[in-house]
Amino acid sequence: MEGKLPEDQMKSLLAPWRFSWQSSGFKNRLLTALELYEHFPLDIAVTGGTKSSNARLAFAVCGLLEEQEEEEEEEEEEEKESDEDEDSDEQEEDGDGEDDDDTKKKLFVRFREDFAENDPDSAPVLLHPLIPNVRILTIEGSSGSPQDRYDVLVVLTTELHQEDHMRFIMELYEKNKPLYLVKADKEIDIVREKLAGPCKTCAWERMRERISEFRKKHKAEFELTKNANHQGPFPLHQGIKLWEAEMIAGVLMKAIPELRKKAFSQFLVDLTHNLKVPLTERHRSGSLASSSLKNRKISQEDLGKISAVFQSQDLTDQPSKLLSIFSALEHFRLDVGVLGETGCGSSSLFNSLLGLKNGDKGASDVGVFETTKTPVTYSYLDYHNVLLWDLPGLGSVKDFKAASSGPMHHAPPIPPIPPCDVYILVSPLRFNLGYIQLVKHLLLQGKCCYLVLSKADLIEEKATKEVRRWNTEMLEKLGLKQDIYLVSAFHPETMDLPKMRKDFEDAIESHRRVALANYVSKLLEEDVFWKRPDPCKVN
């Protein structure tokens, strides 16, 4: 079962780890990092414009710009509508549509003013409707230092005002944080003058003078660039594209998965380094941990895990190591083996899990004889990189010689088992000694096991509770607390098979994280990590 990662991904995974040291608990730290990543929020700060223009841009980032414009038009129309009886039917129809929009907004794009409690600088938060763990925060004007507080910066600007953001561009480039410039529809959208007071004309005049100065300056820069035979945009703006508001949602939709991996990798490295700083210096320089808690970037429970687990620099000394792990997670193959004694019905269960009937094309062979002599593989439904294996049955007649050579009062030794990440272990009606030994053997290896009693349709319905109770008590006496599933391969939609399938599918990503942590820690220990000499053996 080789090839759990493509060759190019294997090279990318190993590259940052060359000449790294390993200390005890590495696998636990790796698994903790993978679990923390699952609910890490990517914060996208929208700034550069007025309060209303930033709000429109936030909706555009979520792909909701058209809905927001339609909602504003509806609100204007509602103000102008009269309460005439003849229009009551039409108003009821419009009301139904508005109710749907309101429900959608509450479920997907709810602004929350309580994002950071008791924080006067807190910004309203827009939850992305399509991508989990993505928050869009609006910052009016040039408030604060958004490049320090958030992972991605989206700035509303125009061609004439791009130079305003060169400080952000340079600072974010040094910190390896991305910046997106979005073109404003109108100059008024990015005016930072407060048009209040006795004379608003003065503010408008100042704005016009500023625009005129920029036009003259850019014209002079263009002539200078042209005379110097430069190609393309001004050197000052190379690599920074000015996006249209209608395009930014699609651009970010493609980029967000990679942006989130990079942001978390850098965040965990910075946080672990910050936690190592003495408490007095940490308060003086500002604590990343306290600001992350206040902004709900991380929970107190997760912070406790990081403080307890990440004491070594073998994982969080540089972001590239973590980034290689998260990239590998997307391409890692999860192997799930269906295993049991020969004749127990494991092949029929294999077919049922795939939604196939015995005898269908692609189904595993079943019969009264030993039909599965070599592993049979099949992709598990529509789940990406999940492979289901129908493994040869244990206790085959060919193993009789090996089994009879040992003492008869002992269970036969466990034969070699093809390595899988998760096992579905099948036994007819009740567990025997060999089955219990197999479960313990796999659990000690860190494997997750689903315990299945097959052929449950052969017992009466009133006896199923007694069968379940007896097997559960037997496992508990042996120190094993496991769920037991009674299934019938001939009637797959009855009994516990639907529940087992749901439990397994809900846990697939968790299984993948555990399997990757086991795989990577073993791989690095064998091929990459430098071995520290044993001090007891050094002369």
Side-chain angles (χ1 to χ4, degrees):
M1 297 183 183
E2 299 295 330
K4 293 181 76 65
L5 280 173
E7 185 176 351
D8 58 335
Q9 285 297 321
M10 181 71 76
K11 292 179 180 178
S12 299
L13 170 65
L14 296 177
W17 294 88
R18 297 297 179 187
F19 311 115
S20 296
W21 295 104
Q22 182 191 25
S23 57
S24 61
F26 172 76
K27 183 170 68 174
N28 188 26
R29 285 192 294 279
L30 181 55
L31 181 57
T32 301
L34 290 168
E35 291 173 347
L36 291 173
Y37 173 68
E38 286 303 302
H39 49 265
F40 173 77
L42 180 75
D43 288 337
I44 302 176
V46 174
T47 187
T50 61
K51 185 175 182 179
S52 59
S53 58
N54 284 341
R56 286 197 300 271
L57 179 55
F59 276 92
V61 167
C62 294
L64 298 167
L65 184 60
E66 294 181 0
E67 291 186 11
Q68 173 70 359
E69 291 176 349
E70 290 176 0
E71 187 176 288
E72 291 176 355
E73 291 176 0
E74 289 177 1
E75 290 177 356
E76 292 177 359
E77 290 177 1
E78 287 176 5
E79 293 178 358
K80 298 177 182 179
E81 282 180 358
S82 61
D83 296 329
E84 298 179 3
D85 295 337
E86 59 201 35
D87 296 331
S88 59
D89 294 339
E90 295 180 4
Q91 288 176 359
E92 288 178 4
E93 293 177 2
D94 291 341
D96 292 340
E98 288 165 9
D99 289 341
D100 293 339
D101 289 340
D102 289 342
T103 302
K104 187 174 182 180
K105 289 291 188 294
K106 289 178 182 178
L107 289 173
F108 298 116
V109 291
R110 182 166 51 94
F111 273 97
R112 301 188 313 188
E113 297 292 347
D114 62 339
F115 172 62
E117 296 178 359
N118 302 321
D119 183 3
D121 296 327
S122 63
V125 178
L126 184 63
L127 306 179
H128 201 290
L130 301 177
I131 309 176
N133 296 321
V134 176
R135 309 185 299 194
I136 297 91
L137 306 97
T138 58
I139 304 174
E140 185 176 356
S142 55
S143 171
S145 300
Q147 70 274 24
D148 294 328
R149 298 173 60 188
Y150 309 116
D151 306 310
V152 182
L153 195 62
V154 179
V155 180
L156 192 67
T157 186
T158 66
E159 294 179 359
L160 296 176
H161 293 77
Q162 289 185 72
E163 276 191 1
D164 287 1
H165 312 294
M166 287 313 299
R167 179 174 62 88
F168 283 172
I169 293 172
M170 298 305 296
E171 290 183 7
L172 291 171
Y173 178 78
E174 292 176 358
K175 297 179 180 181
N176 198 26
K177 288 189 176 183
L179 169 70
Y180 294 85
L181 299 181
V182 179
K183 186 177 181 181
D185 293 333
K186 307 170 185 176
E187 291 285 343
I188 187 63
D189 289 341
I190 60 169
V191 171
R192 294 180 183 142
E193 298 277 4
K194 292 186 178 180
L195 303 181
C199 183
K200 296 182 180 180
T201 305
C202 295
W204 283 107
E205 289 297 333
R206 287 194 296 271
M207 183 192 72
R208 290 193 183 99
E209 289 177 5
R210 189 167 180 271
I211 292 173
S212 179
E213 289 176 3
F214 266 100
R215 285 174 178 167
K216 291 177 181 178
K217 187 175 182 179
H218 276 262
K219 184 177 180 181
E221 286 184 355
F222 177 76
E223 293 295 333
L224 181 63
T225 307
K226 184 178 179 181
N227 294 335
N229 295 322
H230 286 293
Q231 301 295 326
F234 299 121
L236 193 63
H237 306 310
Q238 284 184 354
I240 303 294
K241 182 174 180 179
L242 192 60
W243 295 98
E244 299 289 342
E246 295 79 8
M247 300 175 62
I248 192 63
V251 171
L252 286 174
M253 183 76 75
K254 295 179 181 178
I256 279 174
E258 194 67 24
L259 292 174
R260 187 165 169 267
K261 288 186 292 187
K262 290 181 178 179
F264 178 78
S265 300
Q266 186 65 57
F267 172 78
L268 194 55
V269 168
D270 292 342
L271 184 58
T272 51
H273 288 183
N274 182 253
L275 291 174
K276 294 174 184 177
V277 175
L279 194 59
T280 54
E281 297 183 15
R282 202 185 305 167
H283 284 311
R284 194 183 310 121
S285 60
S287 172
L288 176 61
S290 60
S291 63
S292 299
L293 286 172
K294 183 169 64 175
N295 294 328
R296 302 183 187 178
K297 193 79 172 174
I298 194 171
S299 67
Q300 187 66 55
E301 180 183 357
D302 289 342
L303 183 60
K305 289 182 182 178
I306 295 173
S307 301
V309 174
F310 292 96
Q311 302 296 331
S312 172
Q313 291 189 353
D314 56 4
L315 181 61
T316 55
D317 55 339
Q318 55 180 324
S320 59
K321 289 183 177 179
L322 285 165
L323 189 58
S324 69
I325 299 297
F326 299 131
S327 297
L329 183 63
E330 295 182 4
H331 303 274
F332 183 74
R333 190 187 73 212
L334 183 70
D335 293 315
V336 183
V338 181
L339 179 64
E341 293 184 355
T342 180
C344 70
S346 58
S347 294
S348 295
L349 177 62
F350 174 85
N351 294 335
S352 297
L353 288 171
L354 297 173
L356 301 173
K357 294 181 179 179
N358 296 339
D360 285 354
K361 183 179 180 181
S364 187
D365 292 334
V366 298
V368 295
F369 303 105
E370 299 172 9
T371 53
T372 306
K373 298 181 180 180
T374 57
V376 177
T377 61
Y378 213 99
S379 296
Y380 183 69
L381 305 180
D382 295 328
Y383 287 84
H384 176 64
N385 269 345
V386 179
L387 205 59
L388 199 64
W389 295 74
D390 183 16
L391 303 176
L394 302 176
S396 173
V397 174
K398 65 181 181 180
D399 298 328
F400 174 75
K401 184 177 181 181
S404 60
S405 61
M408 295 301 293
H409 59 280
H410 287 117
I414 298 174
I417 300 172
C420 289
D421 305 307
V422 180
Y423 290 91
I424 299 174
L425 303 179
V426 187
S427 177
L429 297 183
R430 65 179 181 179
F431 303 141
N432 56 31
L433 181 58
Y435 186 93
I436 298 299
Q437 281 188 321
L438 177 62
V439 173
K440 286 188 172 182
H441 174 73
L442 294 174
L443 291 177
L444 286 174
Q445 293 183 354
K447 306 294 185 179
C448 180
C449 300
Y450 290 81
L451 309 187
V452 174
L453 293 175
S454 63
K455 302 182 180 181
D457 54 316
L458 299 180
I459 58 177
E460 297 180 2
E461 184 177 355
K462 61 182 180 181
T464 56
K465 291 183 179 181
E466 183 64 21
V467 170
R468 191 190 305 275
R469 183 194 61 78
W470 186 89
N471 285 279
T472 301
E473 289 180 354
M474 185 183 67
L475 289 176
E476 290 178 350
K477 289 179 181 178
L478 296 172
L480 299 176
K481 291 186 177 181
Q482 296 275 136
D483 289 333
I484 299 175
Y485 302 93
L486 275 66
V487 304
S488 167
F490 293 105
H491 307 284
E493 297 308 316
T494 62
M495 309 193 77
D496 294 340
L497 185 58
K499 182 180 184 301
M500 191 199 77
R501 182 187 285 116
K502 183 180 185 304
D503 291 346
F504 167 66
E505 292 174 357
D506 290 344
I508 280 179
E509 292 309 314
S510 176
H511 292 326
R512 197 193 302 274
R513 292 193 296 270
V514 173
L516 179 65
N518 289 329
Y519 177 80
V520 170
S521 59
K522 184 177 180 180
L523 178 69
L524 295 179
E525 184 176 0
E526 292 177 350
D527 300 336
V528 176
F529 279 137
W530 282 5
K531 305 297 189 298
R532 285 188 173 90
D534 188 343
C536 298
K537 297 181 180 180
V538 177
N539 294 328

